[in-house]
Amino acid sequence: MSESAEHHGRCLCGAVRVTVTGALGNISACHCDMCKRWSGSIFMGIEVDRGRVKISGPVKTYQSSPFAARGWCELCGSALWFGDTEGRHGDVLELAPGLFDNAGGARLTREVYADRCPEGYALAGDHQRVSRAEYEAENKFVEDAG
Ligand SMILES: [Zn+2]
Ligand SMILES: [Zn+2]
């Protein structure tokens, strides 16, 4: 994969187009309660600097916490991205791998809230697994509603 490559992705209906200039980052998966509800199960994101991402089409956003937002296609509902809106990760978007054929060739390297994965499924492989306590010691997080 060349550093100068462009990666083209799209939502289910095709109204939203995503172009990334340069290499895609790694995939991280999240089992926090917000990602579970928003994605329907596990949210995965490919980390890319915002400045290298162009998105066109009917994108809606939801400010899911005081420091982070999520984007989706208004027409078909496809999840597009998650991203912090401030702080040290504010320049990064986590793009949904499914926007790209073969997930853009990106690999899963990190699973956060790994100890919060429901009992009924699991992600195989020897990627890094970060517990809720480990994650929350170093990152902003949202308290459980309940
Ligand atoms: Zn769409
Ligand atoms: Zn999450």
Side-chain angles (χ1 to χ4, degrees):
M1 195 184 304
S2 153
E3 289 294 313
S4 62
E6 275 196 353
H7 296 272
H8 298 277
R10 65 175 184 88
C11 66
L12 176 61
C13 76
V16 174
R17 300 281 168 167
V18 179
T19 302
V20 177
T21 304
L24 296 175
N26 294 316
I27 298 174
S28 63
C30 184
H31 300 288
C32 81
D33 288 344
M34 298 177 79
C35 285
K36 278 189 278 208
R37 290 199 195 284
W38 185 63
S39 69
S41 55
I42 306 168
F43 179 71
M44 293 195 190
I46 300 174
E47 295 171 13
V48 181
D49 294 336
R50 285 178 189 266
R52 296 196 288 113
V53 181
K54 283 200 179 69
I55 301 177
S56 64
V59 176
K60 287 286 196 181
T61 62
Y62 176 65
Q63 187 86 26
S64 54
S65 72
F67 55 86
R70 298 165 193 262
W72 77 95
C73 171
E74 181 180 18
L75 297 181
C76 70
S78 294
L80 302 172
W81 54 262
F82 167 87
D84 282 2
T85 52
E86 59 177 49
R88 64 194 169 102
H89 299 301
D91 293 336
V92 177
L93 275 185
E94 292 190 28
L95 294 170
L99 297 169
F100 305 94
D101 291 343
N102 191 35
R107 300 198 72 82
L108 177 69
T109 58
R110 183 172 144 97
E111 182 178 358
V112 302
Y113 286 74
D115 55 337
R116 306 282 283 186
C117 181
E119 294 174 4
Y121 56 75
L123 293 172
D126 69 356
H127 52 272
Q128 180 189 19
R129 290 179 172 81
V130 180
S131 71
R132 176 187 180 183
E134 289 167 337
Y135 182 83
E136 293 186 355
E138 300 204 340
N139 296 277
K140 289 186 180 184
F141 62 95
V142 175
E143 299 284 352
D144 282 347

